[in-house]
Amino acid sequence: MIDELLDFNRSFVEQKGYEPYLTTKYPDKKIAIVTCMDTRLVELLLAALGLKNGDVKMIKNAGGVITHPFGSAMRSLMVAIYELGVEEIMIIGHTDCGAQHLNYEDMLEHMRERGISQDHLDMIEYCNVDLRTWLSGFDNGEDAVRRSVHLVKYHPLVPQEGITVRGFIINSVTGEVSEVKDCD
């Protein structure tokens, strides 16, 4: 599959298919969006918000949540704020999220089935990685958005002035975006 994508890419570049997507590294709308990596959102989220390439900084991960105050998603937001001029942050969860209800025990079993040894799992725990937390999902999408908004809004490295942080849920079928209330 990857080779097919690369074949397409060679043709794309030769035919200058990139030209409609030319933009700068700075988001035109000064917005960063943290959202889920769900395949249904790849085009739907942009279309539902009327966005085009270059409008926003998009940070995607499983569940669209900020799980650690000093993890890669938060680091990306720091770069967006301090280096790329972002002034507003949208945390956007979605309906029917695959990360919701993720089960730690099931994940470990899938890992073992794919050849990950108990020694490796023990080593990770020994290194103070709490696999139970790291591999678990969330029960309620709105609550997960609230927690992420709170973590970003009150992060010690996020300026308290000039940065707006709000939370939303997008319907993964219709694209309707609803604001999550009580995110403070």
Side-chain angles (χ1 to χ4, degrees):
M1 225 23 183
I2 292 174
D3 288 335
E4 288 178 26
L5 297 176
L6 293 174
D7 287 342
F8 177 87
N9 177 257
R10 280 187 277 285
S11 174
F12 177 84
V13 173
E14 287 171 6
Q15 296 173 15
K16 298 187 180 200
Y18 56 85
E19 288 180 346
Y21 306 101
L22 292 174
T23 187
T24 71
K25 65 182 178 180
Y26 299 97
D28 293 337
K29 296 191 182 297
K30 298 186 184 310
I31 295 174
I33 295 175
V34 178
T35 193
C36 188
M37 65 183 195
D38 191 291
T39 56
R40 296 168 290 182
L41 301 183
V42 172
E43 292 186 32
L44 178 65
L45 179 64
L46 295 174
L49 294 174
L51 298 171
K52 65 180 183 353
N53 196 51
D55 281 346
V56 299
K57 286 297 175 187
M58 188 75 67
I59 302 162
K60 292 184 160 224
N61 64 28
V65 293
I66 308 288
T67 57
H68 192 283
F70 299 100
S72 63
M74 201 61 220
R75 179 178 180 268
S76 295
L77 286 175
M78 293 294 105
V79 171
I81 292 167
Y82 291 109
E83 298 296 324
L84 302 172
V86 161
E87 296 172 355
E88 296 183 74
I89 298 168
M90 297 176 77
I91 310 289
I92 305 179
H94 68 98
T95 58
D96 190 33
C97 184
Q100 190 168 346
H101 308 298
L102 268 179
N103 183 289
Y104 156 80
E105 286 87 9
D106 291 344
M107 267 290 243
L108 287 182
E109 185 56 33
H110 294 308
M111 289 178 182
R112 289 184 189 105
E113 289 169 1
R114 303 278 304 262
I116 304 300
S117 72
Q118 188 60 47
D119 287 344
H120 282 104
L121 296 172
D122 292 342
M123 178 187 62
I124 291 169
E125 292 279 349
Y126 176 78
C127 293
N128 287 327
V129 175
D130 179 2
L131 287 175
R132 178 174 298 282
T133 301
W134 193 60
L135 296 175
S136 292
F138 46 86
D139 293 328
N140 180 295
E142 288 189 3
D143 287 343
V145 167
R146 280 186 196 97
R147 282 191 301 276
S148 293
V149 167
H150 187 271
L151 195 152
V152 173
K153 200 177 236 184
Y154 298 104
H155 193 283
L157 300 179
V158 172
Q160 294 302 299
E161 299 288 324
I163 300 295
T164 300
V165 185
R166 293 168 59 189
F168 304 87
I169 297 285
I170 184 171
N171 182 300
S172 55
V173 174
T174 68
E176 179 182 14
V177 176
S178 304
E179 187 155 12
V180 175
K181 301 297 180 201
D182 303 318
C183 280
D184 285 329

